[in-house]
Amino acid sequence: METDFLLQAIIYLAAAVICVPIAKKLGLSSILGYLLAGIVIGPYVLGFIGQEGQDIMHFAEFGVVMMLFLIGLELEPRKFWKMRKFIVGMGSAQLIGTTVILFLGFLLFMDWSWKTGLAISLALALSSTAIVLQTLKEKGLLNTSLGRSSFAVLLFQDIAVIPILAFLPLLSTVNIEAVSEGPQSLIAGYPSWLQTLIVLGIISTIYFAGRYVFVPLLHIIAKTRLQELFTASALLLVVGVSYSMQLVGLSPALGAFMAGVVLANSEFRHELEGDIAPFKGLLLGLFFLGVGASINFQLIIQNPLFIFVFGAILTLVKFVVLFLMSRFNKKSLDQNFLFAIGLSQAGEFGFVIMSFCMQLSIIPTILANQVMAVIAMSMVATPFLLLINERLIYPFTRVKEKV
């Protein structure tokens, strides 16, 4: 078993080391390199990693958690509070607009029940936090107006996953308690008002614990002058807060982001960034490898027209909604295109929602697997679309803005 683990580790690392530099040499995103590496070593091409794709995804999602922790470290609480209307306004407009258009389209043109159409619409309305934020970071756009707009929409989506997962059982005739693999929460049996109070209490606890417990504890650890102990403490902080949020039914990534915001004003901010960043980069790479490996090419070959047309329509709908939103917020034309194309894909939470819908028997297994193939393909297509925008669209839109 140890041999198998070491062999798989060699395969993952070798694929990344070979494919990512090639992608960068060709002027492509490192994300595309990881995705292509996952496709090549996945079960449907060379088959080096068998059917392990989902296991990688569960582990590598921790990279997304740490990425949001680092973003939180760069956002002071006062700035975050000032962005609250921006987050709710842009985020809700994107999520509701995309969901309504997709839902109406499914009702008119697809032979699906309204429950199936609504569940799929909610899953596809979400974008990929990992792909968008990593792309913005590579382009140095995280701290720009475009970066803040993208972050606001993504953060709202991450928060929205919680009520979406709570709403889905209402569409099902299956007893939620019988679904052993569904989202588990220690407070699921309590009344809604009490659940809300507990969640608010947890959030308040994280805030005050960050200021009056975590920071003093980091002072004590820093005095030991043991770098590895400080790194372990930083990882413990991220994992502990994420796990506590998961226990009450909230997103672990959201918990990590909150912990980062709380510690943004501490003197350990830059040291924490330096310690966490290498783990974040490696695990995010594994996440993209997992996405590439999880693409079911057998499903695509069986019904290529449905997968590609569905994916193209999804991208177009999200692009139009995001482009109009960006225009409404009076951004420049080149920023409109980058914003709309960057968030036009489906996201990693779509896999979670589709799996949950299968367990609740809201969506037939074959259809759910086809939708997950569409999600994966849209994520793979994003770096190519961004490249097309950079090479063909951006030069003309930038010139027009200057005229």
Side-chain angles (χ1 to χ4, degrees):
M1 211 164 157
E2 289 180 5
T3 304
D4 291 340
F5 171 77
L6 293 175
L7 179 60
Q8 296 232 341
I10 290 171
I11 292 171
Y12 298 140
L13 294 173
V17 168
I18 293 171
C19 292
V20 174
I22 292 175
K24 295 296 288 184
K25 190 73 174 176
L26 295 174
L28 305 175
S29 167
S30 64
I31 296 171
L32 189 56
Y34 284 116
L35 290 170
L36 293 177
I39 292 172
V40 170
I41 65 175
Y44 303 103
V45 181
L46 297 181
F48 286 159
I49 62 172
Q51 301 294 330
E52 303 286 335
Q54 290 302 317
D55 295 332
I56 306 171
M57 294 292 286
H58 289 310
F59 174 70
E61 281 168 3
F62 188 46
V64 181
V65 168
M66 288 197 287
M67 177 176 63
L68 283 174
F69 175 73
L70 290 176
I71 291 171
L73 279 177
E74 298 175 1
L75 190 67
E76 296 178 8
R78 289 181 182 177
K79 292 180 180 178
F80 177 63
W81 184 248
K82 288 180 181 178
M83 288 178 64
R84 66 190 186 281
K85 293 181 180 179
F86 195 53
I87 293 169
V88 174
M90 291 195 71
S92 60
Q94 182 276 328
L95 186 64
I96 294 172
T98 304
T99 301
V100 169
I101 293 173
L102 290 175
F103 179 60
L104 293 176
F106 295 152
L107 286 182
L108 293 173
F109 301 107
M110 305 300 290
D111 187 24
W112 299 341
S113 69
W114 70 268
K115 293 181 179 180
T116 297
L118 181 57
I120 293 175
S121 299
L122 289 169
L124 297 179
L126 305 173
S127 302
S128 174
T129 302
I131 287 179
V132 176
L133 293 183
Q134 183 68 12
T135 300
L136 291 173
K137 180 185 175 184
E138 288 185 4
K139 295 180 178 295
L141 297 173
L142 267 180
N143 294 319
T144 64
S145 173
L146 171 67
R148 288 190 292 271
S149 298
S150 301
F151 175 72
V153 172
L154 292 168
L155 181 59
F156 184 86
Q157 289 180 358
D158 287 345
I159 297 171
V161 171
I162 304 158
I164 288 173
L165 290 174
F167 168 73
L168 287 175
L170 301 178
L171 302 178
S172 173
T173 56
V174 176
N175 183 5
I176 184 61
E177 295 179 359
V179 183
S180 59
E181 297 181 4
Q184 300 296 317
S185 169
L186 294 180
I187 62 174
Y190 296 123
S192 299
W193 65 269
L194 184 56
Q195 289 187 37
T196 303
L197 288 178
I198 293 174
V199 168
L200 292 175
I202 290 290
I203 293 173
S204 301
T205 301
I206 290 174
Y207 177 76
F208 288 107
R211 296 192 63 179
Y212 303 111
V213 178
F214 296 153
V215 173
L217 185 61
L218 289 174
H219 273 288
I220 296 172
I221 293 170
K223 289 179 180 178
T224 64
R225 300 182 183 278
L226 295 174
Q227 184 63 40
E228 65 275 14
L229 185 60
F230 193 88
T231 302
S233 303
L235 290 172
L236 177 62
L237 171 62
V238 178
V239 175
V241 172
S242 300
Y243 183 65
S244 65
M245 295 291 273
Q246 189 176 41
L247 287 178
V248 295
L250 297 178
S251 165
L254 179 61
F257 169 74
M258 287 180 54
V261 170
V262 170
L263 295 175
N265 284 330
S266 74
E267 61 268 41
F268 299 108
R269 169 182 165 184
H270 297 296
E271 194 167 359
L272 286 168
E273 286 179 344
D275 288 343
I276 295 290
F279 295 94
K280 183 266 297 184
L282 182 60
L283 289 174
L284 267 183
L286 278 178
F287 173 80
F288 296 127
L289 274 168
V291 171
S294 66
I295 297 176
N296 192 330
F297 285 96
Q298 291 179 355
L299 273 178
I300 296 172
I301 293 171
Q302 289 171 6
N303 202 344
L305 186 63
F306 174 79
I307 300 292
F308 287 108
V309 171
F310 194 167
I313 293 173
L314 168 65
T315 301
L316 180 61
V317 168
K318 297 190 78 170
F319 173 84
V320 170
V321 171
L322 290 161
F323 188 87
L324 292 176
M325 265 176 48
S326 184
R327 274 318 251 183
F328 180 77
N329 283 275
K330 299 179 180 179
K331 296 192 180 299
S332 61
L333 189 57
D334 58 326
Q335 287 190 330
N336 289 341
F337 275 101
L338 185 54
F339 175 74
I341 292 173
L343 278 80
S344 63
Q345 76 290 119
E348 49 271 6
F349 281 118
F351 294 116
V352 178
I353 293 175
M354 283 295 100
S355 298
F356 194 34
C357 287
M358 279 194 289
Q359 295 163 21
L360 293 171
S361 298
I362 300 172
I363 302 175
T365 301
I366 295 177
L367 177 58
N369 285 325
Q370 288 176 331
V371 173
M372 285 195 280
V374 170
I375 292 173
M377 290 300 293
S378 73
M379 293 171 75
V380 171
T382 301
F384 288 106
L385 294 175
L386 288 170
L387 184 64
I388 292 172
N389 175 69
E390 184 178 338
R391 300 284 174 85
L392 301 179
I393 300 175
Y394 175 71
F396 296 101
T397 55
R398 180 184 58 180
V399 170
K400 287 180 182 179
E401 285 298 318
K402 288 183 177 180
V403 173

